[in-house]
Amino acid sequence: MKLLTCLKQIPDRDTRYEINAAGTGIKTSDLTFEISECDEYSLEESLKLREEHGGEVAILTLGPQRAEKSIRKGLAMGADRAILVRDDEGKVTTPHAVAKVLAEVLKEEEYDLILTGTQSDDWSYAQTGVLLAELLGLPHATIVMEIRADPAQKKVKALREMESGWFQWVELPMPAVLTIQAGISQIRYASLKGIMQAKKKEIRNVELSDLNVDLSSIPEIEVLKVYFPVVEKKAEILQGSTAEVVEQLVEKLKKEAKVL
Amino acid sequence: MSEKIYVLIDHGEGEIRTPSLESLALGQRMAEEAGFSLHALILGNEIGPLAERLGKQKVDSVLLVEDQKLANYDPDVYCRALSEILTEDQPYLFLMGHIYQNIDLAPKLAAAINRGLVTDCIGYRKEGDDFVFVRQMFRNKLNADVQFRSEHPWIVTLQTGATSVDDLKEGSGQVVERSLDLSAVELRRKQLEAFEATQGKVDLSQAELIVAVGRGIKKAENLKIIEELAEALGAEIAASRPVVDSEWLTRDRQIGSSGQTVSPRLYLACGISGAIQHIVGMKNAQCIVAINTDPNAPIFNIATYGIVGDLFEIVPALTKKLKE
């Protein structure tokens, strides 16, 4: 099977962010970067499918040069090769624009399955995978928690997560796009051997300007302002040492809230 | 002629889904503010009674599209139906609930009609004559104001719980049947069996006391302190999504939009930041206690009592105190 995984590099999830000078994003100068969580799960699934059915796993990333570090991690986990669409100036930001660029690159590629994350941990639009499917004219399934591929029949079964603890199996003809949900499996660590091999694997750089994409024709959305939400703290915050707050809490649960 | 706002009404098991009613409530407010007309759009098969019910809300009309192919959600046929209607009617805004079905559908629709989409909004502001939409990002740590730079209709999905169905105003709107020719649409996705992951397993809906644990517990071995606290209280253990994703606890203990909904007397949230997806599953608890190191964690917005501190100190101390 030919598997293609879209990886996005995002700022470290656990950092406390600062707003940038323009007020339209976060300061990235002092941050470290990592692979968006759902995307890492989608790479893991691609590797599993290759182990089961043979074939190839390719990574496709849109981002600046620093994204190479995340791609190397993906290659060390076991991907065979990678394509980085270089956007050093950060021109392509909205999901529709990203999907148009990725779709253009994919015209030159062969694949049975494209796997993306359901949503990213930075802007969290949850759009790119589905936009990509429609732009490529492919069927899709979102929020996928299990995959069973049948390459001989050119079919894939995907388990979709639904609301309130429900799940549903769907079947799609391949090629298809699946957007992967966090928690689908356990993500492997790169082995030392994998890390060594990754250094020799190909990362093909594609310049944005070499692609035939007219960014001006994209139905855009614009982020005017980014800010910290105003917190209306409802909670009564208990103050004091550990012993004191615990004592107050038990007292309040018994006498005030009367729940114990 | 005034501009129009359309709201997609999702339904299942013969009932209108709550997130759609929330979208309708928001649509009512926006339409009123801007002087636009408001129209509920419902797709399905043999759903006349649902359309009648929608007609009793404050809407200018209910657009009813019935077809055997629309009986169950399918992305290809739903996308085609909506594309035709939106292209022909050109509403100013198309509102949908940010439910799993629309996460599957909305971007496909946006690509199909080449229009902008802003997902998972929690509200809006008026900026001059324009609407600006507010959404959360970076795991709900930041908000963003987003404006469309595309042609209408603008497509917006609305986060569950962002508005209340209590705000819904009654009125009367005429049901208008609309027929579409969907015979040529090929359904590429085959629907196979559906099942409930929690069925026959842990039912937390009746639990009186719940100790819930989140990402802050860091690793599976650390769960022991949570188990001891739950035992001291005689409480059930529950979890937020990251804990279940890491397989530290089973999925039947997950609380939130993709897990169980609970309303215990006491909900003790340890190391849970309070993402909206978690909060929708537990906000009706009578008393909520939050223990978290981050004083800005959204869980403190809904908790009754909060302790800003390290759960690895607080939880064992609390267990000890309760045993006294």
Side-chain angles (χ1 to χ4, degrees):
Chain A
M1 277 180 85
K2 285 197 177 288
L3 296 140
L4 203 136
T5 297
C6 299
L7 284 194
K8 182 180 191 184
Q9 189 190 47
I10 55 139
D12 178 6
R13 285 184 277 271
D14 298 316
T15 311
R16 285 194 192 168
Y17 306 113
E18 286 178 59
I19 311 290
N20 67 16
T24 54
I26 58 161
K27 273 189 199 165
T28 53
S29 48
D30 299 324
L31 296 181
T32 55
F33 294 86
E34 60 190 349
I35 302 172
S36 189
E37 188 179 28
C38 289
D39 295 1
E40 201 166 350
Y41 279 108
S42 74
L43 174 59
E44 175 63 40
E45 284 311 299
S46 301
L47 296 170
K48 282 214 182 95
L49 287 165
R50 187 190 62 188
E51 280 157 13
E52 196 182 338
H53 303 287
E56 183 206 52
V57 174
I59 292 172
L60 174 58
T61 296
L62 170 71
Q65 193 192 359
R66 62 168 156 73
E68 276 202 13
K69 198 176 165 197
S70 295
I71 294 174
R72 285 282 169 217
K73 186 185 175 195
L75 292 171
M77 282 168 68
D80 298 287
R81 64 185 176 94
I83 304 164
L84 171 60
V85 184
R86 285 282 290 271
D87 179 21
D88 290 347
E89 292 159 59
K91 280 185 184 163
V92 185
T93 53
T94 59
H96 216 128
V98 171
K100 278 250 164 96
V101 171
L102 298 182
E104 187 62 29
V105 175
L106 288 172
K107 279 185 186 165
E108 309 290 315
E109 293 286 326
E110 275 179 46
Y111 45 81
D112 299 302
L113 269 185
I114 298 172
L115 277 70
T116 73
T118 290
Q119 66 177 38
S120 66
D121 295 314
D122 54 358
W123 294 89
S124 313
Y125 286 113
Q127 295 187 26
T128 307
V130 182
L131 286 165
L132 184 60
E134 181 66 15
L135 293 174
L136 293 168
L138 299 178
H140 76 278
T142 47
I143 324 178
V144 170
M145 288 297 279
E146 197 177 330
I147 303 169
R148 292 179 196 158
D150 184 350
Q153 298 292 322
K154 288 261 167 207
K155 282 178 183 168
V156 61
K157 281 183 187 169
L159 183 64
R160 292 195 63 220
E161 185 180 307
M162 323 274 274
E163 268 96 1
S164 309
W166 279 83
F167 291 85
Q168 185 180 25
W169 282 102
V170 297
E171 186 180 81
L172 305 172
M174 293 201 286
V177 178
L178 304 179
T179 81
I180 305 302
Q181 173 68 305
I184 185 169
S185 56
Q186 294 300 301
I187 296 167
R188 71 192 61 195
Y189 289 99
S191 64
L192 189 61
K193 193 177 155 207
I195 294 168
M196 297 306 288
Q197 284 173 343
K199 291 179 181 163
K200 283 176 258 161
K201 289 176 182 169
E202 186 205 0
I203 301 179
R204 182 161 69 88
N205 275 248
V206 176
E207 292 299 327
L208 208 48
S209 53
D210 291 341
L211 293 172
N212 184 27
V213 184
D214 177 13
L215 290 175
S216 66
S217 70
I218 287 160
E220 277 297 8
I221 54 176
E222 184 187 350
V223 174
L224 299 179
K225 197 169 95 177
V226 166
Y227 50 97
F228 291 96
V230 179
V231 177
E232 296 166 41
K233 267 210 192 77
K234 186 192 146 217
E236 178 184 345
I237 303 292
L238 308 179
Q239 311 279 355
S241 67
T242 298
E244 284 163 1
V245 292
V246 162
E247 179 151 2
Q248 287 175 58
L249 179 62
V250 173
E251 187 74 8
K252 282 178 183 295
L253 291 178
K254 283 183 178 161
K255 305 221 168 115
E256 205 173 86
K258 298 193 172 82
V259 290
L260 286 185
Chain B
M1 201 179 74
S2 87
E3 301 277 8
K4 299 179 286 250
I5 295 176
Y6 278 25
V7 180
L8 180 67
I9 304 297
D10 296 299
H11 53 93
E13 320 272 317
E15 292 293 333
I16 294 167
R17 300 187 56 182
T18 308
S20 298
L21 294 175
E22 293 173 359
S23 302
L24 194 64
L26 190 88
Q28 286 181 339
R29 205 163 85 210
M30 295 177 85
E32 203 172 292
E33 232 173 276
F36 293 174
S37 64
L38 179 70
H39 308 268
L41 171 58
I42 186 162
L43 313 178
N45 195 32
E46 295 173 358
I47 48 162
L50 293 182
E52 292 298 329
R53 231 181 290 166
L54 285 166
K56 297 191 175 102
Q57 304 299 333
K58 191 180 176 215
V59 292
D60 292 279
S61 75
V62 179
L63 297 176
L64 167 64
V65 186
E66 291 189 292
D67 192 296
Q68 270 183 1
K69 273 190 165 170
L70 294 169
N72 289 307
Y73 167 72
D74 171 86
D76 288 321
V77 71
Y78 268 57
C79 181
R80 170 71 70 84
L82 293 174
S83 297
E84 282 197 19
I85 292 167
L86 295 180
T87 305
E88 200 176 312
D89 296 9
Q90 292 290 326
Y92 185 90
L93 180 69
F94 184 50
L95 275 177
M96 312 162 88
H98 192 71
I99 58 170
Y100 284 24
Q101 181 171 306
N102 293 336
I103 292 171
D104 199 75
L105 173 63
K108 182 178 168 73
L109 177 64
I113 63 172
N114 199 38
R115 290 295 182 271
L117 164 64
V118 181
T119 41
D120 206 11
C121 294
I122 56 171
Y124 71 91
R125 290 189 294 109
K126 269 305 270 301
E127 187 124 312
D129 282 340
D130 268 345
F131 288 109
V132 171
F133 295 88
V134 183
R135 63 186 303 280
Q136 295 173 306
M137 45 181 233
F138 288 91
R139 296 194 171 206
N140 307 337
K141 286 179 182 172
L142 295 170
N143 280 7
D145 288 354
V146 186
Q147 188 161 38
F148 283 90
R149 295 282 181 229
S150 56
E151 302 282 311
H152 298 281
W154 296 344
I155 309 171
V156 167
T157 70
L158 187 68
Q159 189 173 91
T160 308
T163 52
S164 170
V165 291
D166 298 341
D167 298 339
L168 211 53
K169 289 182 184 158
E170 292 184 352
S172 78
Q174 201 191 348
V175 178
V176 181
E177 283 181 48
R178 184 83 168 257
S179 66
L180 297 173
D181 180 9
L182 301 168
S183 57
V185 186
E186 185 201 346
L187 311 187
R188 293 175 293 180
R189 183 192 287 185
K190 202 189 275 178
Q191 318 267 352
L192 306 172
E193 78 270 29
F195 58 92
E196 197 175 4
T198 52
Q199 211 171 28
K201 293 185 182 166
V202 182
D203 178 15
L204 298 174
S205 64
Q206 303 304 315
E208 290 283 330
L209 305 171
I210 291 177
V211 176
V213 58
R215 195 188 285 271
I217 196 71
K218 295 196 175 86
K219 51 185 177 182
E221 298 86 83
N222 295 339
L223 280 172
K224 198 160 187 301
I225 58 168
I226 301 296
E227 286 161 9
E228 285 165 355
L229 175 59
E231 202 186 317
L233 276 167
E236 286 281 356
I237 294 180
S240 67
R241 178 160 195 132
V243 171
V244 173
D245 283 351
S246 303
E247 296 182 1
W248 301 338
L249 283 171
T250 49
R251 198 157 291 280
D252 53 10
R253 292 193 180 273
Q254 184 183 324
I255 304 298
S257 54
S258 50
Q260 298 195 51
T261 301
V262 295
S263 47
R265 212 159 66 217
L266 172 65
Y267 191 89
L268 219 156
C270 309
I272 292 176
S273 64
I276 184 75
Q277 293 80 359
H278 183 74
I279 287 175
V280 295
M282 45 67 79
K283 63 180 178 200
N284 291 325
Q286 191 188 326
C287 177
I288 298 167
V289 176
I291 303 170
N292 204 295
T293 47
D294 179 2
N296 295 319
I299 190 83
F300 290 121
N301 307 353
I302 61 147
T304 322
Y305 305 115
I307 299 176
V308 179
D310 186 353
L311 76 93
F312 297 104
E313 274 182 34
I314 309 286
V315 169
L318 182 58
T319 306
K320 194 165 158 243
K321 180 78 195 163
L322 286 164
K323 281 184 175 168
E324 278 174 14

